[in-house]
Amino acid sequence: RVFSSNNGLTTVEGLFTKKRVEMALVKVQMVVINEPFLRRLMGYGTVSVETAGVRMRGRAFLAEAKIPMVEREGLSSLLKTTLPSLTINPWRDELYRIVPAGLKYGLLSRVLVSIPLIVLAIVWVVIAPKEAAQIIPFSGLFFWGLLVAVLAYTLFRAYIEWRYKGWLVSDDHIVSQSGWLGQRTRVMAVRKIQAVHVDQGPILRVFGLVKVQFRVADSSLTLPLIGIEEAEAIVERVTPKSHVGILE
């Protein structure tokens, strides 16, 4: 059960052992909505509300309240309750998608991961002794078929990851959403951001992409791959309100 007031949020969960969590809305730094495939099929999602917990030995430990079963129609209103200044509806508003270069990067990454299997198939076909072929009839055909199947799966997965990832940044919040059959939505309050990491490895540099990660106390949110100009605009937009340190 969830109870809300003007300044706080209270959740109560458990049948035999009750757990009650009370938190001030001004302390909320991120809300995570998980919709696994079966639960999403039934029209439900799980909502986790994160705040920076107590500090021990100089480190902030995460405190969270979890609402395990929320009807999909009520997710947006609950999200609005926990983040009152939120103007984005992740399920209704159109989110930005990864640029086409992101798909090329994903496909290349998946192919590189499959290289060991390609080498194994070649070695088996060329070097495998005849005794092995007697044990596994059509072993060469089997391995080439397995190779094709694995490559098809990895390329399909790369496309799905590219197609079903979205993000949106407003003056007060950052939204990241991913997943096809199951979906995960993360919403972070800009005012709680402590640091922004902008990373660009050698392969990302070839495709003109960067990875932007926003960090709050003991948690983080990473945007899907975006272009350099977009990343610069986003960092400039959130920096004045969050007073973050930018690490590259």
Side-chain angles (χ1 to χ4, degrees):
R1 291 180 295 172
V2 183
F3 307 94
S4 61
S5 62
N6 292 333
N7 300 315
L9 183 73
T10 302
T11 64
V12 179
E13 58 180 291
L15 179 60
F16 298 104
T17 302
K18 295 289 185 180
K19 180 181 178 181
R20 181 186 179 96
V21 178
E22 298 184 7
M23 59 178 64
L25 293 180
V26 295
K27 297 292 186 179
V28 175
Q29 61 185 20
M30 184 157 63
V31 179
V32 181
I33 300 99
N34 282 314
E35 299 174 81
F37 172 64
L38 291 178
R39 192 167 295 186
R40 189 182 183 194
L41 197 62
M42 294 186 294
Y44 290 92
T46 298
V47 179
S48 299
V49 184
E50 300 180 2
T51 69
V54 296
R55 297 190 67 88
M56 296 179 61
R57 298 180 182 179
R59 181 182 175 186
F61 287 86
L62 189 68
E64 80 171 4
K66 181 172 289 187
I67 304 98
M69 295 292 284
V70 181
E71 292 186 359
R72 201 162 199 272
E73 292 75 10
L75 289 175
S76 59
S77 60
L78 181 56
L79 186 59
K80 180 68 175 177
T81 299
T82 55
L83 297 169
S85 61
L86 181 67
T87 58
I88 302 171
N89 186 326
W91 300 276
R92 184 190 63 200
D93 298 341
E94 184 175 357
L95 305 181
Y96 291 111
R97 300 295 174 182
I98 305 177
V99 294
L103 176 59
K104 298 177 183 177
Y105 170 80
L107 294 175
L108 177 61
S109 300
R110 294 293 179 181
V111 170
L112 292 177
V113 171
S114 303
I115 286 179
L117 182 60
I118 297 175
V119 174
L120 177 62
I122 294 175
V123 170
W124 180 270
V125 173
V126 176
I127 304 178
K130 295 181 179 180
E131 290 78 5
Q134 294 175 356
I135 298 174
I136 308 178
F138 308 107
S139 57
L141 181 61
F142 169 78
F143 271 95
W144 283 117
L146 179 62
L147 174 62
V148 171
V150 170
L151 281 176
Y153 169 75
T154 54
L155 295 179
F156 174 74
R157 185 175 177 182
Y159 171 78
I160 291 298
E161 290 181 353
W162 170 80
R163 176 65 179 81
Y164 293 96
K165 279 187 177 180
W167 59 274
L168 197 58
V169 177
S170 68
D171 292 336
D172 299 309
H173 297 91
I174 299 171
V175 176
S176 176
Q177 192 175 73
S178 61
W180 175 35
L181 298 178
Q183 194 172 77
R184 191 178 199 192
T185 305
R186 300 164 69 92
V187 184
M188 177 179 287
V190 169
R191 56 187 168 77
K192 293 293 183 178
I193 296 175
Q194 298 179 350
V196 179
H197 291 238
V198 181
D199 300 321
Q200 186 184 50
I203 300 181
L204 286 176
R205 191 175 297 114
V206 171
F207 290 98
L209 301 170
V210 295
K211 184 182 297 183
V212 181
Q213 183 183 70
F214 303 92
R215 293 192 177 181
V216 294
D218 207 42
S219 190
S220 64
L221 182 153
T222 302
L223 290 182
L225 297 176
I226 59 177
I228 298 176
E229 294 181 357
E230 288 177 312
E232 292 176 347
I234 291 173
V235 172
E236 290 179 1
R237 186 173 187 177
V238 304
T239 300
K241 288 201 172 186
S242 59
H243 306 289
V244 299
I246 302 174
L247 305 178
E248 296 188 0

